[in-house]
Amino acid sequence: MLAMPSGTLACPDTDRQHRLAAQLAAMIPGAATIWVSLNDPKQRWPHLHATVTDEAGKTLEPNRTTVRVAARWILRVWPEANWDRPHVFDLSDATLTRSDLVAVGQGR
């Protein structure tokens, strides 16, 4: 795919993000967002951590394997994201946003 002078792709491939959103929605019924971080609060060292919430913001409790697989898939689709900070993947529109920007209602 051709790139513009800025280095960004001329026609970004969003199909991959939408396919991932559809797969995760099927894998975790009722999920609306998935919060992903490399800093699990229960661990002393960097460790993959994710939290799944529904439309009302209620935390869902899928099994640990499902949550880890979902988090790994999200990291693989956005390898260029700065994973030093947590991100939120919105399944409804297949967008990934830094969690601090979601909290203050800023753009994606």
Side-chain angles (χ1 to χ4, degrees), residues 35-51 64 67-68 71-72 75 83 86:
W35 181 87
V36 181
S37 172
L38 292 179
N39 297 313
D40 186 338
K42 297 176 185 172
Q43 303 291 333
R44 291 183 176 208
W45 55 89
H47 195 75
L48 188 59
H49 178 69
T51 303
R64 187 175 77 170
V67 172
R68 285 192 129 171
R72 286 180 184 152
L75 264 74
W83 289 105

Side-chain angles (χ1 to χ4, degrees), residues 25-80:
M27 192 166 82
I28 309 170
T33 62
I34 303 174
W35 181 87
V36 181
S37 172
L38 292 179
N39 297 313
D40 186 338
K42 297 176 185 172
Q43 303 291 333
R44 291 183 176 208
W45 55 89
H47 195 75
L48 188 59
H49 178 69
T51 303
V52 180
T53 57
D54 64 10
E55 283 292 329
K58 179 183 170 202
T59 302
L60 301 178
E61 301 280 337
N63 69 49
R64 187 175 77 170
T65 302
T66 300
V67 172
R68 285 192 129 171
V69 166
R72 286 180 184 152
W73 287 357
I74 292 168
L75 264 74
R76 288 180 182 151
V77 170
W78 282 278
E80 74 284 352

Side-chain angles (χ1 to χ4, degrees), residues 18-32 34 70 73 89 91-92:
H18 288 282
R19 281 194 313 269
L20 175 62
Q23 289 172 327
L24 293 176
M27 192 166 82
I28 309 170
I34 303 174
W73 287 357
F89 181 48
L91 299 179
S92 65

